[in-house]
Amino acid sequence: RVMDSISADLSAGLSITLTDERYGSVGHKDSNWQQLIQAGFDPKEAHALPVLQAGLDLAATTRRYRDLLAKAFAAADQAIGQFGIGEDGHIAGILPGSPAAADSQLAAGYQSDLFTRLTMTFPAFEQLHAAYAFAFGAGKATALERLKNEQLPPAEQPAQILRQVPETHIYNDQIGV
């Protein structure tokens, strides 16, 4: 909906990529990029930067994603991220205690219980000027309360990294701010 309100001329100044993706072939059913496209997302004239590329294994895709993020951050006057917060306090594809929570590069790729994940990491969050996070549903209440009331290491509750982003907005239906 946000892109619908941006003119094609203004969209030309944007670069758009994912904060996390599920590894697999381009267009696979669990791909976050594919789901965006199927939902009607139109990048207009923006520089669209999908994470997946045909013919690349996980290691090569992870290197490519790191490079995409590095170039996008270097070219940006402002870097803005949009995220969901999971019931376990994860953000992007950074699950608590996962290899991504300890990675010092801009992006990580790893196997989780459900998906092979590609995600931006905490060093990438440090490049953001603003973050918009969304957490809806009763299952998110505990994670939100912990984020609001406790200062935990991000490796334990990855959403804690939002405290380090200069401007953060959290939208939810469970707790007041």
Side-chain angles (χ1 to χ4, degrees):
R1 287 186 236 164
V2 171
M3 285 303 290
D4 291 342
S5 68
I6 297 174
S7 71
D9 288 345
L10 284 178
S11 73
L14 299 174
S15 293
I16 299 171
T17 193
L18 296 172
T19 59
D20 68 297
E21 176 62 291
R22 295 163 181 164
Y23 178 73
S25 60
V26 173
H28 70 91
K29 70 178 182 68
D30 293 319
S31 163
N32 290 328
W33 190 264
Q34 183 66 26
Q35 291 175 34
L36 272 176
I37 300 304
Q38 288 174 336
F41 175 72
D42 178 6
K44 297 182 182 176
E45 301 298 318
H47 190 194
L49 305 168
V51 174
L52 301 177
Q53 181 176 320
L56 298 183
D57 65 12
L58 178 61
T61 302
T62 303
R63 287 190 300 275
R64 179 176 178 278
Y65 187 25
R66 288 174 182 154
D67 187 50
L68 285 174
L69 288 174
K71 288 178 180 175
F73 287 138
D77 292 329
Q78 293 284 308
I80 300 168
Q82 179 178 314
F83 307 92
I85 298 174
E87 290 182 11
D88 59 359
H90 82 267
I91 192 161
I94 309 171
L95 300 177
S98 71
D103 201 300
S104 62
Q105 301 293 317
L106 291 176
Y110 71 100
Q111 179 65 51
S112 71
D113 289 343
L114 294 177
F115 302 104
T116 302
R117 296 179 179 270
L118 294 150
T119 184
M120 61 184 282
T121 57
F122 298 142
F125 274 83
E126 294 170 3
Q127 301 294 312
L128 297 177
H129 297 92
Y132 295 84
F134 300 85
F136 292 97
K140 309 289 179 81
T142 299
L144 288 165
E145 289 290 345
R146 291 184 79 200
L147 177 58
K148 180 181 176 186
N149 298 320
E150 300 177 39
Q151 291 200 16
L152 303 167
E156 183 179 330
Q157 187 191 37
Q160 294 279 335
I161 195 67
L162 292 171
R163 294 175 178 278
Q164 296 178 30
V165 177
E167 181 180 332
T168 296
H169 304 271
I170 300 174
Y171 299 88
N172 75 90
D173 60 352
Q174 295 301 305
I175 63 171
V177 180

